[in-house]
Amino acid sequence: MAEHYQVSGSTSAAISASVESGIRAGALAPGDPLPAVRALAGQLGVSPATVAKAYQELRQRGLVVTAGRHGTRVRPRPPVATRRTALAPPPRPGTRDLSAGHPDQRLLPPLGPHLAALAAEIGTPTGYADAAVLPDLVAVARERFAADGVPAGELTVTGGALDGIERLLAAHLRPGDAVAVEDPGWANLLDLIAALGLRTVGVPVDDEGPSVAGVRAALTAGVRALVVTSRAQNPTGAAVSAERAAALRTLLAGRADLLLIEDDHAAELARVPLHPLAGATPAWAFVRSVSKPYGPDLRLAVLAGDEATVARVAGRARVGAGWVSTVLQRLVLSLWRDPATAELVRRAADGYDRRRDGLVSALAAHGLAAHGRTGINVWVPVPDETVAVTALRDAGWSVAPGGLYRIAAAPAVRLTVSPLDEADLPALADALARATHPTRGGAPY
Ligand SMILES: Cc1ncc(COP(=O)(O)O)c(C=O)c1O
């Protein structure tokens, strides 16, 4: 595609802005090569040093990657708002879209009654002087953490899990530092790490969480932070088991050079027990979002950690965004305290479990070993992602290519079960089996 996009500019800043705008518009797609430095310098009538400087700046910002003689290419997930079309095939009109990774809108608790109750009791508007993390929210969050074995002496609130992770990484790491992440892992996290000028080191993940050997290798490679998804790992559905947690705690014990971050984004929706690593290292944080059980638009997560880590996150927020709106905090508190909402969340969790387990079983009946222990996604290994995504689209299903989530992991596709009903599962499993083995037995399958 790169040959169709003419990079322009006579200064390094203008050249890098032109490449960035090509990426944003989707004219330079992930993986597309940029012109060779000398060739582009010749075309634009500038010195090779000017083009090299533009490429260097794009590299530092995580937009492009240079791989020796393979030249410079657009990163698989450049940290600018690219059109979705540049990242994944667009859902064909009329197909069922299982590619999004969003919670099921039908299962989110209604906010109306809680907003009405808040409106009745809100009282004097909160100003700069009295805005803070609400003590009542802290108390309830602490109880909930304690019930799950997370030591939550120090606690603050962020604008969601990803905001918390960004603040943690920014507070502890410097550009160029390496972060160990699950491979496959959450695409937004990989984008965030690149946007912060950090590097990723992939750690293989199985159904019980990140592998011990993978974490050991990442430590040897000098990573300064490790991000572990506690449950409902995106995209594989892995959940850290008791045995894996014990082994990882032993491996990480006392590592003063590492920031340990746990992301419990599924929280109450994950129906497996939590086995936290919290406290294994001197610097740690445990982030729990309300997005999946209660709604992504609440933009709130609670973050527990050691005293210095929480103080850094809260202190930095104070000189920036300030605080998470007390209106949102009160709304979350109201949802947490409401037994009827707790029942809705339990039913939602059942609904996800049934669809996810049902899909994994239906695939097993076709001889396909899919992953999906917890959460809202199923990860299906395939021999060729493009073939599988295209065949499924032709059969009426849009799914996400695994390339969005993988570093070195094997090809797969990710399916989000939220839009599905149980009645859909046999047809979907059949379509997946055909897409995965289009010519099994030498005949159309
Ligand atoms: C692993 C993981 N963490 C966090 C989130 C979202 O968290 P938040 O909305 O609180 O930023 C997601 C959403 O899909 C996720 O998959």
Side-chain angles (χ1 to χ4, degrees):
M1 249 214 224
E3 59 271 25
H4 301 307
Y5 182 75
Q6 181 56 58
V7 178
S8 59
S10 56
T11 62
S12 65
I15 294 167
S16 69
S18 162
V19 171
E20 180 173 348
S21 109
I23 296 172
R24 272 206 312 272
L28 286 172
D32 271 356
L34 297 190
V37 169
R38 284 186 179 281
L40 184 58
Q43 280 169 30
L44 299 178
V46 300
S47 75
T50 302
V51 175
K53 190 166 169 226
Y55 283 13
Q56 187 192 16
E57 197 250 344
L58 291 163
R59 216 166 23 246
Q60 281 168 348
R61 292 178 44 221
L63 293 171
V64 304
V65 62
T66 299
R69 60 193 174 77
H70 298 296
T72 299
R73 289 175 181 273
V74 179
R75 281 183 64 93
R77 290 165 291 267
V80 287
T82 357
R83 276 195 211 142
R84 250 170 215 287
T85 47
L87 300 175
R92 179 177 290 172
T95 57
R96 302 278 299 278
D97 187 6
L98 310 182
S99 68
H102 300 160
D104 187 343
Q105 301 271 22
R106 299 169 293 183
L107 297 180
L108 293 175
L111 299 183
H114 298 274
L115 286 166
L118 267 185
E121 68 178 41
I122 196 113
T124 325
T126 302
Y128 286 106
D130 37 1
V133 178
L134 296 179
D136 281 2
L137 186 91
V138 170
V140 176
R142 218 172 247 150
E143 265 170 38
R144 293 163 93 98
F145 275 143
D148 279 335
V150 178
E154 301 298 325
L155 214 151
T156 191
V157 173
T158 61
L162 197 59
D163 179 52
I165 295 171
E166 173 168 9
R167 290 174 183 283
L168 287 161
L169 292 175
H172 276 263
L173 276 68
R174 295 288 161 261
D177 284 348
V179 182
V181 292
E182 293 143 340
D183 179 20
W186 187 31
N188 288 20
L189 176 64
L190 302 179
D191 290 346
L192 171 69
I193 290 171
L196 291 172
L198 303 168
R199 292 177 292 122
T200 46
V201 172
V203 172
V205 57
D206 60 28
D207 292 338
E208 296 188 48
S211 81
V212 177
V215 174
R216 188 178 293 116
L219 292 173
T220 307
V223 295
R224 302 291 316 282
L226 164 66
V227 184
V228 174
T229 313
S230 313
R231 306 178 285 192
Q233 198 263 355
N234 188 352
T236 68
V240 176
S241 65
E243 295 73 21
R244 186 64 52 85
L248 289 173
R249 290 184 77 95
T250 305
L251 177 64
L252 298 174
R255 293 289 304 224
D257 53 345
L258 184 84
L259 170 66
L260 168 64
I261 301 174
E262 286 171 280
D263 174 3
D264 190 30
H265 73 109
E268 294 84 357
L269 270 192
R271 297 297 285 280
V272 295
L274 183 74
H275 298 293
L277 309 177
T281 52
W284 64 275
F286 188 99
V287 188
R288 176 172 282 174
S289 171
V290 304
S291 289
K292 293 286 152 39
Y294 303 99
D297 193 35
L298 291 164
R299 301 312 311 133
L300 190 144
V302 282
L303 185 155
D306 66 280
E307 190 187 349
T309 297
V310 174
R312 282 190 191 186
V313 169
R316 177 63 185 82
R318 224 172 286 133
V319 297
W323 69 95
V324 171
S325 166
T326 57
V327 177
L328 289 179
Q329 293 187 52
R330 286 184 192 213
L331 186 52
V332 168
L333 194 53
S334 171
L335 288 158
W336 275 352
R337 283 176 163 160
D338 176 26
T341 299
E343 181 51 30
L344 285 180
V345 171
R346 254 193 304 278
R347 269 196 247 146
D350 283 345
Y352 287 118
D353 287 357
R354 271 199 304 276
R355 288 175 285 174
R356 205 192 52 246
D357 293 348
L359 181 56
V360 170
S361 308
L363 290 171
H366 283 280
L368 295 179
H371 300 271
R373 249 191 95 200
T374 51
I376 65 174
N377 295 310
V378 172
W379 181 249
V380 189
V382 296
D384 184 309
E385 288 179 6
T386 309
V387 168
V389 168
T390 310
L392 280 163
R393 198 156 36 120
D394 291 344
W397 304 97
S398 292
V399 305
L404 298 175
Y405 314 93
R406 299 188 289 112
I407 301 172
V413 291
R414 190 194 75 173
L415 287 72
T416 304
V417 300
S418 302
L420 292 172
D421 293 312
E422 280 175 86
D424 296 321
L425 301 181
L428 174 59
D430 192 54
L432 260 159
R434 288 170 189 272
T436 311
H437 304 292
T439 56
R440 184 182 272 184
Y445 172 78

